[in-house]
Amino acid sequence: MSKTGPDNGRRAFTRAALAALALPLVARAQPGGADSPHKALYMFQGADRDAKLAADAKREGEVVMYTSLNLKDSVPLTEAFEKKTGLKVQLWRASSEKVLQRAITEARAGRFACDILETNGPEMEAMYREKLLEEFYSPHFRDLPAAAFPRHRHYVADRFNFFTIGYNTNLVKPEEVPNAYTDLVNPRWAGRVGLEGSDVDWFGAVVKSMGEQKGLAFFRKLAEMKPQIRTGHTLMAELVASGEIPLAATLYNHNVERLTVKGAPIKWKAISPTFGRPNAIGVARRAPHPSAAMVFVDFMLSKEGQTILKERNRVPASLSVDTHLNKFPFQMIDPVITLDENDKWEKVWSELFLKGGKIEKEKD
């Protein structure tokens, strides 16, 4: 297995940047027809599906994946896949923005080297809009929640990042733990709540869920509470565990869990509505190894692949894997917030919480 790619910064992704990359491709892309040479294979559901895919994949010999999943988590997955199937994985890892850029740039140049794309939901949605992905079927879809699928079904969530509150159990009494977002503006939390400084998509999702007028009024009250702003969900969780910040409103529950199992005085709680960022997997429309791509997708979504994600302290999308990290009602953040409304929400967020300053993006 080969692997490369720097540990680049988290996506710094705007409509303007996407347009600059993608518009030339839009002009030449054509739906269906010659641009969809593998659709019948991707959607095949016959009784001999698995055997046919395995035989054809063996002839192809390898699968090429572009992913933003860090190497300490992606390598165990690909090694298990190679051991199980005998197929080789060519793995290229970079930030989600870099994955998007490379996929679009190569397609624009007429070079189709990638079979699997696996990264954050908004970037996957952007690749769908640029006609780089194709709809597909896997028997493991039966184990996935409805929230894992976009309406067009050209990619599917294989893991989640859930926004939950996290609190220091030495500093926050059980009866003080918020039960709703509006509890965060109780006077007891003045100066004691943390926010991750780049969670603009969560902000937009919560505002829209409340209704824009009511939602913005809530966040104005929260801003008056002088929350502590930090960059990085892992850092924020560590600050809560250490007691520097008693409670944070936007922690990934899997980051909290990693500290809890080590004995740190920190717990998480899902508040309704709980929003998540999907990390998704899709097959390239012009994949050079289409059967191997489908075998890999099946593995990634299978109980075996999803269990590896769980063991790596990720939140698996599959309900076949027992974990309390996804046992609550949730919904995905609409990618429209990131792709089409980003400027609007960034401006308001910055004015409320950053004194109009630049948003510092979290590191991958």
Side-chain angles (χ1 to χ4, degrees):
M1 174 180 57
S2 67
K3 50 188 180 290
T4 185
D7 191 12
N8 294 297
R10 179 180 173 267
R11 59 180 165 81
F13 167 9
T14 65
R15 286 182 297 165
L18 177 61
L21 279 169
L23 281 177
L25 183 62
V26 173
R28 57 181 287 177
Q30 296 186 14
D35 275 2
S36 306
H38 308 311
K39 186 167 185 177
L41 183 154
Y42 289 160
M43 295 298 294
F44 184 63
Q45 300 181 37
D48 60 341
R49 174 187 181 274
D50 292 353
K52 178 175 172 53
L53 285 176
D56 290 346
K58 185 176 181 179
R59 284 191 289 272
E60 293 170 356
E62 69 173 11
V63 61
V64 179
M65 179 168 69
Y66 297 170
T67 182
S68 60
L69 182 62
N70 62 45
L71 293 176
K72 69 179 182 180
D73 295 336
S74 56
V75 169
L77 279 162
T78 55
E79 287 180 341
F81 173 78
E82 289 180 338
K83 183 177 181 180
K84 181 181 179 71
T85 66
L87 299 171
K88 296 299 180 183
V89 179
Q90 300 295 327
L91 177 66
W92 185 80
R93 191 269 166 189
S95 70
S96 54
E97 183 188 28
K98 295 284 188 183
V99 170
L100 173 63
Q101 289 175 339
R102 180 170 181 175
I104 290 178
T105 300
E106 288 183 346
R108 185 167 58 193
R111 180 170 181 260
F112 302 99
C114 178
D115 302 300
I116 295 288
L117 292 150
E118 199 274 352
T119 191
N120 295 344
E123 284 81 353
M124 293 297 291
E125 181 67 19
M127 287 187 277
Y128 158 71
R129 293 184 183 189
E130 299 311 315
K131 304 184 185 298
L132 302 185
L133 304 175
E134 185 56 85
E135 186 179 3
F136 64 97
Y137 163 81
S138 171
H140 301 293
F141 283 178
R142 63 178 178 267
D143 297 321
L144 299 175
F149 298 91
R151 285 189 293 272
H152 50 71
R153 299 176 75 90
H154 277 61
Y155 57 82
V156 61
D158 57 353
R159 51 193 173 97
F160 295 125
N161 290 334
F162 288 122
F163 291 97
T164 64
I165 63 167
Y167 58 95
N168 186 293
T169 55
N170 292 334
L171 301 176
V172 180
K173 298 175 183 178
E175 63 271 20
E176 294 176 338
V177 178
N179 293 310
Y181 290 113
T182 50
D183 292 341
L184 294 171
V185 297
N186 185 301
R188 71 159 58 99
W189 297 118
R192 303 177 68 215
V193 172
L195 292 175
E196 203 286 327
S198 63
D199 283 337
V200 176
D201 53 349
W202 168 83
F203 165 63
V206 174
V207 170
K208 294 176 82 167
S209 73
M210 293 180 172
E212 191 160 329
Q213 184 175 358
K214 183 179 178 181
L216 289 175
F218 160 71
F219 276 102
R220 289 189 191 101
K221 289 181 181 179
L222 186 60
E224 292 171 0
M225 303 286 289
K226 305 296 183 184
Q228 300 187 49
I229 309 298
R230 300 288 190 278
T231 299
H233 294 92
T234 300
L235 171 63
M236 182 69 78
E238 291 170 348
L239 293 175
V240 172
S242 71
E244 182 172 331
I245 299 175
L247 181 146
T250 58
L251 291 186
Y252 293 155
N253 64 345
H254 67 270
N255 283 343
V256 174
E257 194 71 13
R258 287 171 176 168
L259 297 170
T260 302
V261 299
K262 294 178 181 179
I266 184 173
K267 289 185 178 180
W268 60 269
K269 181 177 180 178
I271 288 181
S272 181
T274 298
F275 288 100
R277 283 180 181 150
N279 293 271
I281 190 167
V283 290
R285 181 171 289 220
R286 303 288 295 274
H289 312 103
S291 295
M294 289 306 303
V295 173
F296 187 87
V297 166
D298 283 349
F299 175 79
M300 192 72 163
L301 298 178
S302 71
K303 186 173 183 179
E304 181 179 359
Q306 293 283 290
T307 298
I308 294 173
L309 283 174
K310 176 187 174 182
E311 291 170 348
R312 305 305 301 176
N313 293 308
R314 298 282 179 171
V315 184
S318 176
L319 299 178
S320 70
V321 178
D322 185 35
T323 173
H324 66 290
L325 294 177
N326 62 11
K327 286 185 177 178
F328 46 82
F330 58 84
Q331 54 188 286
M332 293 295 98
I333 294 175
D334 189 341
V336 165
I337 291 173
T338 302
L339 292 178
D340 303 323
E341 301 173 354
N342 186 66
D343 293 348
K344 168 186 174 179
W345 297 116
E346 279 199 352
K347 182 176 185 294
V348 179
W349 174 267
S350 175
E351 290 171 350
L352 285 174
F353 298 110
L354 305 177
K355 298 180 180 179
K358 182 179 180 181
I359 295 171
E360 183 180 351
K361 300 297 182 178
E362 179 181 20
K363 302 294 183 184
D364 262 354

